[in-house]
Amino acid sequence: MFCVPSTAIGTIMNITKGGLVLFSANSNSSCMELSKRIAERLGVEMGKVQVYQEPNRETRVQIQESVRGKDVFIIQTVSKDVNTTIMELLIMVYACKTSCAKSIIGVIPYFPYSKQCKMRKRGSIVSKLLASMMCKAGLTHLITMDLHQKEIQGFFNIPVDNLRASPFLLQYIQEEIPDYRNAVIVAKSPASAKRAQSFAERLRLGIAVIHGEAQDAESDMVDGRHSPPTAKNVAAIHPSLEIPMLIPKEKPPITVVGDVGGRIAIIVDDIIDDVDSFLAAAETLKERGAYKIFVMATHGLLSSDAPRLIEESAIDEVVVTNTIPHEIQKLQCPKIKTVDISMILSEAIRRIHNGESMSYLFRNIGLDD
């Protein structure tokens, strides 16, 4: 695992005032690695708590130490059983609330259901529902990382700190890709162009955008603007209303805007889950002359057959952070590399607990980052 070397932050990480309790809400032991790293950096021990599933699949939480009047930080990394993960968090937050904790801060590096943050045809905005549930349970502050859409922060009525993983990924590029100066940052779709532009400007590299791929699930063709049903009876429409019809979209053939011939292509995105679009982008880039292909993403969900497909693909390396545990996927695919982001989460916890400004963690971060 690639770890960012300690800086001046690391030398003062364990300086915290009393009254801090650190819990992991995961019943799955494989999800506790990040919690242990954070506790080690803070110089504190993990709080004593039992989280387990009853035979009937109900979640039970038993806090085994006093939290009265203390700042409680609950670290929850998302497992494959995402709904159980959510219930573990909600029950633990409520247990701390009823035990008179001073404040309850959720540390959720990957916010689940973040892709369901827009109205779909006769659907719902599930991330808004989840935010309301967390606030109702008793959460007083949220620390997360690289929300799929920054507007999700507005779903909460509590403070939200949306940290960024890009400094760690940029450092990986500079230190682990020897000839990165011959690279080009690639957006696999126009929707990812802003993120790619941010990486390219910081690394002083060129940018390329792949356009014309098959329509994805987040297209506006399936959002709420198309929810009213088509009128079957034309006569039912008032004759004075002549509403112009929107011309349907037609995807052009796949094109790459930018030169990737004889270059290293670095595809950047926030989430890599279903890898089909990444594999298609890699094939297109290979055809256009790219001789090495890297994929950089903050959250590596890597569901289903993703490790096998990556191993058999034209992608040379997939770099993700440890916001989500993926040790099993790494055993299946040696191309998957991990960047440790426990340092910034630890510093965020320390600053919130000590009542210090969080602005240091958001230096040089613009609206498009």
Side-chain angles (χ1 to χ4, degrees):
M1 178 181 289
F2 173 82
C3 297
V4 178
S6 297
T7 61
I9 297 178
T11 61
I12 61 172
M13 193 67 75
N14 61 353
I15 303 175
T16 56
K17 299 176 183 177
L20 179 148
V21 181
L22 202 64
F23 286 133
S24 174
N26 287 108
S27 58
N28 189 340
S29 58
S30 65
C31 296
M32 296 182 65
E33 182 63 31
L34 181 60
S35 303
K36 292 176 182 177
R37 287 175 175 271
I38 292 172
E40 184 179 347
R41 287 186 178 277
L42 287 169
V44 300
E45 293 185 359
M46 293 297 301
K48 297 176 182 176
V49 63
Q50 279 190 332
V51 184
Y52 58 94
Q53 310 298 319
E54 297 279 14
N56 62 359
R57 300 302 298 162
E58 288 185 359
T59 299
R60 185 175 291 273
V61 173
Q62 292 182 339
I63 298 173
Q64 298 177 320
E65 64 179 86
S66 175
V67 296
R68 182 178 295 272
K70 295 182 179 179
D71 292 331
V72 178
F73 291 84
I74 301 175
I75 304 170
Q76 183 69 314
T77 50
V78 177
S79 65
K80 294 298 179 187
D81 189 355
V82 62
N83 296 323
T84 298
T85 299
I86 291 169
M87 285 306 300
E88 290 171 347
L89 175 66
L90 295 174
I91 294 171
M92 180 171 284
V93 168
Y94 189 66
C96 292
K97 177 183 177 181
T98 54
S99 298
C100 302
K102 177 184 173 184
S103 61
I104 307 167
I105 299 93
V107 183
I108 311 172
Y110 169 67
F111 188 76
Y113 286 96
S114 60
K115 284 191 173 183
Q116 298 189 47
C117 61
K118 296 180 182 178
M119 177 61 74
R120 306 300 183 188
K121 186 184 291 186
R122 300 174 189 86
S124 62
I125 305 175
V126 183
S127 52
K128 166 62 176 173
L129 170 65
L130 185 53
S132 300
M133 291 167 64
M134 289 181 179
C135 294
K136 188 68 175 177
L139 209 64
T140 61
H141 198 135
L142 176 67
I143 301 172
T144 187
M145 179 165 282
D146 282 338
L147 287 169
H148 185 57
Q149 297 289 341
K150 300 182 193 68
E151 292 77 9
I152 293 175
Q153 296 174 81
F155 296 161
F156 291 85
N157 56 13
I158 58 174
V160 177
D161 287 309
N162 181 29
L163 303 175
R164 306 296 197 276
S166 51
F168 297 87
L169 297 175
L170 289 167
Q171 188 176 31
Y172 184 95
I173 293 171
Q174 292 173 316
E175 296 183 357
E176 301 297 319
I177 304 178
D179 45 352
Y180 82 93
R181 289 292 181 190
N182 187 37
V184 59
I185 305 298
V186 179
K188 68 179 179 66
S189 68
S192 306
K194 283 187 177 181
R195 180 180 295 269
Q197 182 181 357
S198 175
F199 272 68
E201 289 175 353
R202 281 168 166 75
L203 294 168
R204 279 59 171 174
L205 298 176
I207 183 173
V209 180
I210 299 175
H211 180 53
E213 72 276 20
Q215 193 149 341
D216 56 30
E218 295 205 36
S219 167
D220 62 359
M221 289 298 289
V222 292
D223 73 10
R225 288 171 288 182
H226 293 264
S227 58
T230 305
K232 295 181 180 179
N233 186 3
V234 180
I237 301 175
H238 196 279
S240 64
L241 295 177
E242 296 182 1
I243 302 174
M245 294 294 292
L246 189 66
I247 299 172
K249 291 182 179 179
E250 184 177 338
K251 289 282 185 179
I254 292 178
T255 57
V256 179
V257 182
D259 181 23
V260 297
R263 315 279 289 277
I264 299 172
I266 303 176
I267 306 171
V268 297
D269 213 334
D270 62 329
I271 299 172
I272 176 168
D273 186 5
D274 179 12
V275 297
D276 289 345
S277 60
F278 291 92
L279 302 184
E283 289 295 333
T284 301
L285 294 169
K286 278 288 186 183
E287 292 172 4
R288 299 301 194 279
Y291 72 91
K292 254 186 182 179
I293 299 172
F294 291 80
V295 174
M296 298 270 177
T298 302
H299 309 295
L301 275 67
L302 301 170
S303 301
S304 187
D305 291 333
R308 178 183 61 80
L309 294 172
I310 292 170
E311 185 65 25
E312 297 172 355
S313 73
I315 297 173
D316 293 281
E317 196 168 285
V318 173
V319 182
V320 292
T321 72
N322 57 345
T323 55
I324 296 172
H326 46 258
E327 295 305 316
I328 295 175
Q329 290 90 330
K330 288 174 69 176
L331 292 175
Q332 297 171 337
C333 177
K335 292 181 179 180
I336 300 172
K337 309 296 180 184
T338 307
V339 174
D340 180 27
I341 44 82
S342 62
M343 177 187 291
I344 193 169
L345 294 174
S346 303
E347 179 63 7
I349 291 172
R350 189 192 70 81
R351 285 176 175 270
I352 290 172
H353 175 60
N354 291 346
E356 300 176 18
S357 171
M358 293 286 286
S359 60
Y360 180 83
L361 303 180
F362 293 93
R363 293 169 303 164
N364 301 323
I365 291 177
L367 292 175
D368 295 335
D369 292 326

